[in-house]
Amino acid sequence: MKGYLLLMALAAAVTYLTTPLARRVAMSVHAFTPVRERDVHTVPVPRMGGLAMCLGLTVALLIGTRMSFLARALGDGLRLEGVLAASWIVCLVGMIDDVWDLDWMTKLAGQILAGGVLAWSGVQLVTFPIAGLTIGSSRLSLLTTVVVVVVAMNAVNFVDGLDGLAAGMVGIGALAFFGYCYMLTRAVSPENYSSLATAVVAVLVGVCVGFLPYNFHPASIFMGDAGSMVLGLMVAASTIIVTGTIDPLRVPATQAAPVFVPLLLPVATILLPLIDMVFAVARRVKAGQSPFHADRMHLHHRLLDLGHSHRRAVLIMYLWTTITAFSAASLIVVPTPWVLAGTTFAVVIGAALTKTYLSAPKDSHD
């Protein structure tokens, strides 16, 4: 555990220290988010925080290869190289977009390339650990991996519309996923707790923590497409790695349930962004627009329209992400009936808090 916490702290520290540098780079190349009709910020804000995020995860993971506890897990094959290469591909594509506003087809091509690099390195979805389903061919495995990666990146990108929203939601979900991966690794491999998936998620938590002080309302820098795509890629990569390294036959019967649904937690982590993305795509296609056409009808925009302030809308999204992610994560240590009961109680409390926030007067600082 100490090794993972050290990686988390390293990623947070590097991201925190390099974010001002990323801000200067963004300002020097005029990478600002303009004030558009659908936006909630009132002045142009530099965007390129993804650069600091990518530096944070790179430094932390490379240092992890020098740690005796994690050296074997991180040095096994080309998977780590694939994660880093794919991260930098989408980071560079995002940075270019932050400056010149690339068309959606070019960004999609970069996302597909990143997914392909990830699959080529060995981070490839070969099984669906639900009822023991196995993907039948290498081509289908490659295609499925790329689809999962592209969907995760765009889900995070779609929800990145308020200060601190995407970084906070992914950070909360990643923290729950970290606990899940760690406990599951202990269950299936008690002789060795080291795991590439757990290390990647630990770094993901650290990156989000390090960036949030600059990104929470009022933000001094946005993560841009570079940041949202890197976060989505890391969520997808850790998910795929878990499905390929967990052997259900080695798991005690009392802990079998979470093993057969390891995709549940990553889905819970980005559940709200996924729902938002599905409705947004359907809405835009129905209107005869591109699925990537921007509008002001996302979940967070609807919260603002209901009367919530900027900060309260973000905190409400944090609350529901916490409920979904930690409810799923608790399956590893808590019996399923208890999880269902606890989740029901949490949903009731969450609904009550959401309603209370709505009726309370706005904070003058929001």
Side-chain angles (χ1 to χ4, degrees):
M1 176 63 79
K2 291 181 180 179
Y4 293 126
L5 294 179
L6 177 58
L7 282 187
M8 197 181 295
L10 283 170
V14 174
T15 303
Y16 180 81
L17 293 173
T18 57
T19 296
L21 172 63
R23 189 174 186 275
R24 291 194 202 98
V25 172
M27 294 177 69
S28 67
V29 297
H30 303 288
F32 290 91
T33 300
V35 180
R36 299 157 295 191
E37 183 178 354
R38 69 177 188 270
D39 292 324
V40 296
H41 60 280
T42 56
V43 295
V45 178
R47 55 181 179 182
M48 208 173 276
L51 173 60
M53 292 179 164
C54 214
L55 288 171
L57 73 89
T58 300
V59 172
L61 288 175
L62 289 180
I63 290 178
T65 63
R66 311 304 300 176
M67 299 166 57
S68 57
F69 170 63
L70 292 169
R72 183 176 178 181
L74 297 185
D76 183 17
L78 297 174
R79 294 184 301 169
L80 176 60
E81 288 84 348
V83 170
L84 292 176
S87 297
W88 278 104
I89 287 173
V90 294
C91 181
L92 292 174
V93 170
M95 289 171 62
I96 293 172
D97 178 64
D98 289 340
V99 178
W100 289 296
D101 285 324
L102 298 175
D103 62 271
W104 70 269
M105 292 187 65
T106 302
K107 287 192 287 187
L108 181 60
Q111 294 171 353
I112 293 174
L113 174 61
V117 168
L118 205 62
W120 174 81
S121 71
V123 180
Q124 192 165 154
L125 194 63
V126 295
T127 61
F128 286 107
I130 303 174
L133 296 179
T134 302
I135 299 176
S137 70
S138 57
R139 290 184 180 179
L140 183 57
S141 177
L142 173 63
L143 176 62
T144 306
T145 299
V146 172
V147 169
V148 169
V149 171
V150 171
V151 168
M153 284 191 284
N154 282 289
V156 176
N157 181 260
F158 271 55
V159 82
D160 182 28
L162 296 179
D163 296 356
L165 183 57
M169 290 178 64
V170 172
I172 291 169
L175 184 61
F177 197 12
F178 169 73
Y180 176 93
C181 289
Y182 180 75
M183 296 300 294
L184 194 57
T185 301
R186 289 188 59 174
V188 301
S189 182
E191 70 281 356
N192 183 7
Y193 298 170
S194 63
S195 160
L196 175 59
T198 312
V200 169
V201 179
V203 168
L204 179 57
V205 174
V207 163
C208 293
V209 170
F211 184 67
L212 265 175
Y214 299 99
N215 189 234
F216 200 73
H217 186 70
S220 61
I221 183 173
F222 292 156
M223 65 174 67
D225 279 4
S228 61
M229 289 194 293
V230 166
L231 294 184
L233 177 81
M234 296 285 281
V235 171
S238 56
T239 303
I240 295 168
I241 294 169
V242 169
T243 63
T245 57
I246 299 300
D247 182 4
L249 298 178
R250 298 192 62 185
V251 181
T254 56
Q255 295 178 315
V259 174
F260 289 99
V261 286
L263 296 179
L264 174 62
L265 185 53
V267 170
T269 299
I270 55 174
L271 179 62
L272 295 180
L274 281 173
I275 293 173
D276 193 24
M277 183 181 71
V278 170
F279 278 102
V281 170
R283 180 174 65 246
R284 294 164 186 174
V285 171
K286 184 178 180 180
Q289 301 170 331
S290 163
F292 296 89
H293 177 77
D295 59 30
R296 200 183 184 280
M297 297 183 67
H298 292 289
L299 290 176
H300 48 273
H301 289 137
R302 293 177 185 271
L303 286 173
L304 294 176
D305 293 339
L306 285 173
H308 289 291
S309 65
H310 193 126
R311 288 188 179 182
R312 286 180 186 166
V314 171
L315 292 175
I316 287 171
M317 297 286 277
Y318 284 2
L319 171 65
W320 287 103
T321 300
T322 301
I323 292 173
T324 56
F326 280 89
S327 294
S330 63
L331 284 169
I332 193 65
V333 292
V334 180
T336 302
W338 290 16
V339 172
L340 293 176
T343 302
T344 302
F345 178 75
V347 167
V348 172
I349 297 299
L353 288 173
T354 301
K355 183 178 180 181
T356 301
Y357 263 128
L358 183 58
S359 59
K362 290 185 179 182
D363 187 340
S364 61
H365 296 291
D366 287 355

